Amino acid sequence: MKVIFDMDGTLNFWETGTPMEVIMAPGYMRYRRPHANMVEAAKLLIRQGIEVYTLSAVFDLPHFIPDKEFWLDQYLPEVDASHRIYSHINKGKAKHLQDIGVRKDDVFVDDY
């Protein structure tokens, strides 16, 4: 079984109404406040031997993935690089779920 967590709005708080220029600025994704209960749930699943992934949408900006990596390294370092998946904001996440071999008994946790 796999559990795939979205980052923004699921593992960390998303502030609705934030201007796009703020969201796209370097550092914004780096310092999102974690949803402590969701982060702890992911850690608990990992300790139980469940394969945990993160899947997060990104803009085509050079700082976006490094900022998200920084956040994961701070709050969820148990998810290694091969289990951190990024999807371009306009491409959708479904293809990436197929790429990691999601089955019908796997779970995708997303605020969308």
Side-chain angles (χ1 to χ4, degrees), residues 36-88:
N37 59 339
M38 294 301 288
V39 171
E40 188 54 39
K43 290 180 180 199
L44 177 64
L45 291 168
I46 292 166
R47 287 193 300 269
Q48 295 297 315
I50 304 294
E51 194 170 8
V52 171
Y53 288 80
T54 59
L55 174 56
S56 190
V58 293
F59 289 98
D60 191 19
L61 296 168
H63 63 274
F64 233 78
I65 290 175
D67 282 354
K68 289 192 177 206
E69 289 284 321
F70 179 91
W71 191 94
L72 286 167
D73 289 344
Q74 288 285 122
Y75 296 105
L76 203 50
E78 296 85 351
V79 176
D80 64 31
S82 68
H83 287 77
R84 298 175 181 187
I85 303 166
Y86 299 100
S87 172
H88 188 276

